[in-house]
Structures are given as C-alpha cells and as structure tokens.
Amino acid sequence: MAQPRVIVIGAGPAGVRCAQTLVAAGIRPTVIEEGRRDGGQIYRRQPESFKRSYETLYGDTADRAKSLHSDFDALRSQIDYRPETLAWNVANSMVYAVKAGVSTPVPFDALVVCAGATDRLMPIPGWDFAGTYSLGGAQIALKAQACSIGRQVVFMGTGPLLYLVAAQYVAAGAKVAAVLDTSPFSLRIGALPKLLAQPAALAKGMRLVASLKRARVPLYSGVKLIEITGDAHDGVQGVVFDDSKDVRRTVQCDAVGLGYHLRPETQLADLARCEFEFHAGRRLWMPKVDDMGRSSVKGVYLAGDSARVLGADAAEASGRLAAFAVLQDHGHKVPADQVQAAEASLARIRRFQAGLNQAFPWPHAQAADLPDHAVVCRCENVTAGDLRHVVNEMGAQEANRAKAFSRVGMGRCQGRYCGVAGAEIIAQAAGVPVELVGRLRGQAPIKPLTIAVEDPA
C-alpha cells in the first residue's frame, strides 16, 4: 500500500503526538514548525545554551514537558522535520512553506493543522503604549529569554492564563504589582460542578492563587478596567480600574500583561477552505470538525488549540485522534481502545473547559463602553470611534466591509488581536448579534514575508 504524504503543521503537544502516532503506523510525516525548537507555547524549549531546569521552567508540568521533548527527539530520524519554517499558504493540496528566504511548495495527501492559539484581547485606552504585552507574550519573554517584561508588572484580564503567568513571574523573582480579574469570584463558585470534571487542574489553579497570596500580590476580582496610563514617549506608567465595590483605584507599574483566554489560530484552515461555525458560549467563529479532527474539506484535519482551545492535555489527545483519522481514511486499522481512551479524555476536558468559560467569561460588554478615542487596531491605528463611524455613516455592519472602509485588521497581525473585539464594537454600534457581523477572512501570506523571498519554481 502506498503511503500517503502527510504534513503536520506545528510541533507543539498536538503535532508531536500526531507525528508519533503516524510514525508508529509506518508513515514518515513532514513536520513544519515555525519556531527554532519543538514544544509549542506551553512546553516551549529554552535556547540550547540556557541551563534552567525543567522544574524551574514548567513547574508541576515538568514531567509532561520532559516526556514530550524526549519523545520528539526520538522521532527526529523518522520524520522530515523542518524547523524555523513558516507555512504561509495552503492551496491546491499544497502547503507553501518559507525558510531562510526560500519558499517551497510541499504537496500533501493529508494535512494536519496543529497551529495552536493566540491571545484573545480586549482593547483598553492606553494599551498601545510601550510596555503592554499579551499574557502569551509575557510568558514567552520569561520562558525563552529568562526576562521580565518590566520592573513592576500588572497582569489583568481573565482566565487561567492570567494566574498562571502571574505566578510564574513571582516564582522567577519578578515584582508583580497586582492581578486584576474582570470576572467576579461568584462565577467560579457557580462553575464548580463543571470544574470538578478535572480535579487535578482545579487544584492546580487553586495552588496558583495561593502562591500569589503568599507572595502578597494584591488580587482583585470583578474589576472594571478603565485605562492604562502613560504616554507615547515613556510608555506604561500605571493602570486605573474600578474594584468590585465601584471604588476607583490606581496601581503604578511600568508594564502590563493583558489577556482573556485564547483564540484558535485558524488562518490556515481558512485558506484550506474549511467551513466555520459560530460558538455562542465563546462568542467565536471556529472551524467545523468531527470528534477525530476531520474538517469539512477532505484530507484536511485540525488538532489541538487550532481546532478547540482546550489546553495541552487535550492537544495531545486530539493530535493522536487526528492521526488515527488520517490512518483510517487511508485504509489503515487503528486501535479502537486508544481511540476510545482519547475521546473519553477529551470529553472530560470539554466539560472542564465549559466550566472555565462560565467562571471567566469574555467581557464583550466592555467593547460597548470603549471611548471613541481608544485604539482598537494597533497596527493601523484604528479607533473605536473610527469603527462606529463606518457603521453609522457608511452602513458597514459586516466585518470585511468594515475592514475595507476603516483598515481594521489590515496590518501585520491581520486581525489576530483586534478582530474579535472589533466585531463586538461593530455589533454594538449596529445593534445586531455579533454572529451576524461575521469574521475576517484569512489572507495569504498569513504572516508578513520579506520582499526578497525566492521562489525556486
């Protein structure tokens, strides 16, 4: 039987387990990874010359990180591994990949996208000042470069990543000035029945909060964020917020880590022409997939956070399932017990994730309260007032039409960081449900390429 040409994009938890399962079945996949090293964001490996221990880098997930890294190292000779390579387009059963200025089309019979996720951000006045980072960016600075984003840092937003990154900064010896959570504590109590689907994960979250309290980090829940203070010359100087009792407070700082959960990285799925569906609970458009990761396009599979943001454990399980789906679709037998075990694991994690969504909701109403002068799209300097203008004066109630009129999402991030909040502002201004605003269409290249890219063909 001829072996299918399989491409796996991403060498994080989903991509590694997918490649491992394919290799075990006798297939040599091509693994394309944008970063220098494998591990993804959650298990990001430090540069080769750095010497921090696994326990220092990954805390109580050190054993899982070590297992993933050692398993991938063992795969190297059995896969076509292409690190520091950007998959910038998908078309006509080809992945277009660029490395060191040379673009190469790579044909496939099966494509498994394990592209991960990016931070989901809600703008706030002043978030365009130097010193404002996403939570993911703040974590990368710590893991990959062993440095803090500032001398005195405020972390704000909501979700587990908020507490995880703050606790990691404290453990690294950084000064955390405050943690500001927009979600009220009462929602966490209401979500407990679902959160108990994964007692270990719940306990881990409680340990993170306890570690912040031991370090005497001020913790606030149910806050309303007002602004990041500072100026264009000196950057961030503080944050202003109303606490849960509507008392206005100010915290001095020189850096901010900001984030509200994550959003799937879906641009490659979009370019592959996969269908999307709106998830009301998350107020997000996500690709349609079946339980094993098959998309609506034959031969295209999605796994890990690029399909559903469920965390590292779910990414490993979904990576295995996507590999099993590839094998099934090409006539291979797959072990039913392993498929069932992975599906059962995912079911538990989905229930836990529903609890997280309930406990730490996306504060979409903040979009309605943004003042007109607040910058929404930092790449193109588009404000909330600009967006309301194209809705009210030009009739643009659909995301791509508003993009054409205002340039929102037209910069180098292509709407990754402003797209979801921009849709909320458009919906509020137009008086329509956010799902009717639609989503920004993906465009190739999904990330900027240099002008001097060479095409050998």
Side-chain angles (χ1 to χ4, degrees), residues 292 320-321 324 328 333-345:
M292 295 183 70
R320 292 190 183 95
L321 280 173
F324 287 140
Q328 272 186 343
K333 285 187 176 180
V334 299
D337 57 336
Q338 293 186 34
V339 171
Q340 291 169 0
E343 288 179 335
S345 174

Side-chain angles (χ1 to χ4, degrees), residues 2-3 18 31 65 116 174 223 273 297 300 325 364:
Q3 299 295 352
C18 180
V31 178
V223 306
R273 302 290 187 264
V297 176
V300 178
H364 60 89

Side-chain angles (χ1 to χ4, degrees), residues 129-322:
F129 294 149
T132 302
Y133 293 75
S134 69
L135 291 175
Q139 192 179 48
I140 288 171
L142 191 65
K143 283 185 179 178
Q145 299 299 323
C147 64
S148 168
I149 58 174
R151 291 182 297 275
Q152 186 159 286
V153 186
V154 169
F155 291 100
M156 57 193 201
T158 198
L161 190 60
L162 175 70
Y163 296 94
L164 173 62
V165 179
Q168 288 173 333
Y169 266 64
V170 167
K175 170 66 175 176
V176 177
V179 175
L180 311 179
D181 191 335
T182 57
S183 171
F185 185 76
S186 59
L187 292 183
R188 277 165 255 182
I189 302 299
L192 269 178
K194 294 173 184 169
L195 295 175
L196 285 170
Q198 284 200 289
L202 177 60
K204 177 183 175 182
M206 296 172 69
R207 288 197 299 273
L208 291 176
V209 174
S211 70
L212 292 169
K213 289 182 176 177
R214 283 197 301 274
R216 300 184 182 279
V217 174
L219 306 178
Y220 293 90
S221 297
V223 306
K224 180 180 180 182
L225 302 175
I226 305 301
E227 66 173 328
I228 297 171
T229 59
D231 56 52
H233 182 267
D234 294 321
V236 172
Q237 296 174 9
V239 298
V240 180
F241 67 99
D242 291 342
D243 68 16
S244 59
K245 297 179 180 178
D246 289 330
V247 176
R248 183 144 300 185
R249 296 177 181 273
T250 299
V251 178
Q252 302 300 315
C253 63
D254 61 0
V256 168
L258 175 67
Y260 298 83
H261 296 283
L262 302 172
R263 52 164 289 279
E265 189 67 77
T266 59
Q267 286 178 296
L268 291 174
D270 204 0
L271 293 174
R273 302 290 187 264
C274 297
E275 292 182 18
F276 282 62
E277 58 189 350
F278 185 75
H279 284 246
R282 295 190 177 189
R283 296 175 75 88
L284 276 177
W285 288 91
M286 291 191 278
K288 283 185 177 178
V289 289
D290 71 7
D291 289 342
M292 295 183 70
R294 295 181 182 89
S295 76
S296 60
V297 176
K298 184 179 179 181
V300 178
Y301 308 78
L302 305 173
D305 285 352
S306 62
R308 300 286 181 269
V309 179
L310 297 172
D313 293 351
E316 291 189 49
S318 66
R320 292 190 183 95
L321 280 173

Side-chain angles (χ1 to χ4, degrees), residues 6 32 86 98 129 137-138 153 175 190 196 215-216 259 269 348 358 415 434:
V6 185
I32 297 174
L86 172 66
V98 62
F129 294 149
V153 186
K175 170 66 175 176
L196 285 170
R216 300 184 182 279
R348 288 192 298 273
Q358 180 180 339
V434 69

